[in-house]
Amino acid sequence: MGMPVRVVLYAAEPALAERAVRAAFARVAELDAMLSDYRIDSELNRLAATSGVWTPVSADLFAVLKRALEIAEASGGAFDPTVGPLTSLWREARKTRKLPEARDIDDARARVSWRDLKLDAAKRAARLERARMRLDLGGIAKGYIIQEALTVLIAHGTPQALVEAGGDIVVGEAPPGEPGWRIAVTHADASFDGRAAALTRAALSTSGATVQFVEINGVRYSHVVDPRTGLAVTHDLVVSVIAADAATADGLATAVGVLGASGAAKLLAAFPGATVSAKPH
């Protein structure tokens, strides 16, 4: 999904480590080809090319879409897996350094609605209710992918592992002789920082306009778009979330990045065990 993936692990012997890492990266490649909206032939984009019909999907895509819709509902649409038409506009804005036209934002917003993405668990199928919708799982798929990579590492006998990609981290068992993985989090409060400093069997995701952004007329526009307004986020919050799995942490960090700190508590109430830190950078 356009960024490097890093694996750190402890193994009894080099050969075991190499087998585990090769298998984990093979799983990453498989899921990237499936879930990336940057790839024209991805399963995600093939689904987005349909409308009004039930389309069978893989177990992985169904799982990501299901969690995405759960976060969309809990956040009141601040997170939306159908935000693709809007993210396309703002990707272009970051290239050209020109704001999208109002009429283009209105046209894109008319094709964004998480409520119009339907899932059928019995058939493991999905349906897009509106024409010209476009899916974008950039705010959650990365988390799902690294979680699956960790699952592979554990299955290969290397549970003392960490997988990281673009601000998303998931860890298994603690390193030898340590209470957990020491994850340093910038701009976090003391309680969050304490939990991150000894993390085990959990995920941590960070979102904010610190790397991917464009500054136009003195305003910094984040790569994160508010699906409800069609506008890129302009506040300076850096949001970090700890949750039981990386897909949830990734999606919640994106949602809180849109809602702001005031909306975090209500959102996280729907996801027991999740913890958030939202501070200005």
Side-chain angles (χ1 to χ4, degrees):
M1 304 190 80
M3 61 193 62
V5 177
R6 181 169 63 103
V7 173
V8 181
L9 58 79
Y10 294 84
E13 56 184 30
L16 174 60
E18 183 172 351
R19 286 194 300 272
V21 170
R22 286 185 180 278
F25 276 114
R27 181 65 168 145
V28 168
E30 175 189 27
L31 291 170
D32 178 63
M34 184 186 301
L35 303 174
S36 175
D37 70 305
Y38 286 94
R39 294 176 178 268
I40 296 174
D41 62 344
S42 69
E43 183 184 6
L44 181 72
N45 280 335
R46 292 198 303 272
L47 173 61
T50 68
S51 62
V53 297
W54 285 105
T55 303
V57 297
S58 66
D60 290 306
L61 180 54
F62 191 91
V64 178
L65 292 175
K66 182 175 183 293
R67 178 53 90 183
L69 289 182
E70 290 167 351
I71 296 174
E73 182 174 15
S75 67
F79 179 89
D80 192 326
T82 72
V83 74
L86 289 168
T87 53
S88 293
L89 285 181
W90 286 97
R91 283 174 187 169
E92 186 65 22
R94 293 202 300 277
K95 292 178 184 177
T96 63
R97 305 185 69 83
K98 294 181 180 179
L99 292 175
E101 297 287 342
R103 64 177 179 274
D104 292 332
I105 291 177
D106 288 342
D107 174 70
R109 284 181 64 201
R111 294 179 281 129
V112 174
S113 173
W114 63 271
R115 292 183 176 86
D116 288 326
L117 169 60
K118 307 296 185 181
L119 299 180
D120 185 327
K123 297 179 180 178
R124 205 176 73 198
R127 184 176 70 186
L128 301 175
E129 298 288 283
R130 303 187 192 188
R132 299 170 58 229
M133 294 180 76
R134 183 173 175 181
L135 300 171
D136 181 354
L137 298 177
I140 191 170
K142 182 155 46 72
Y144 183 85
I145 289 171
I146 65 171
Q147 185 73 53
E148 286 296 300
L150 178 63
T151 298
V152 171
L153 294 172
I154 293 170
H156 278 73
T158 57
Q160 295 171 298
L162 173 152
V163 187
E164 178 269 331
D168 291 332
I169 297 171
V170 62
V171 301
E173 302 297 334
E178 297 288 342
W181 292 86
R182 299 178 184 180
I183 312 298
V185 183
T186 308
H187 307 103
D189 54 48
S191 60
F192 189 96
D193 196 48
R195 185 175 177 189
L199 200 64
T200 59
R201 299 184 296 280
L204 190 157
S205 292
T206 298
S207 178
T210 55
V211 178
Q212 295 189 66
F213 65 89
V214 63
E215 193 166 305
I216 303 174
N217 299 327
V219 179
R220 177 180 286 199
Y221 294 90
S222 170
H223 70 291
V224 176
V225 179
D226 186 339
R228 304 165 303 176
T229 65
L231 302 178
V233 170
T234 56
H235 61 63
D236 62 350
L237 285 181
V238 175
V239 176
S240 295
V241 173
I242 294 174
D245 68 275
T248 301
D250 193 9
L252 291 179
T254 303
V256 175
V258 171
L259 291 170
S262 61
K266 182 178 179 181
L267 172 61
L268 265 68
F271 298 90
T275 306
V276 66
S277 174
K279 299 284 186 180
H281 64 74

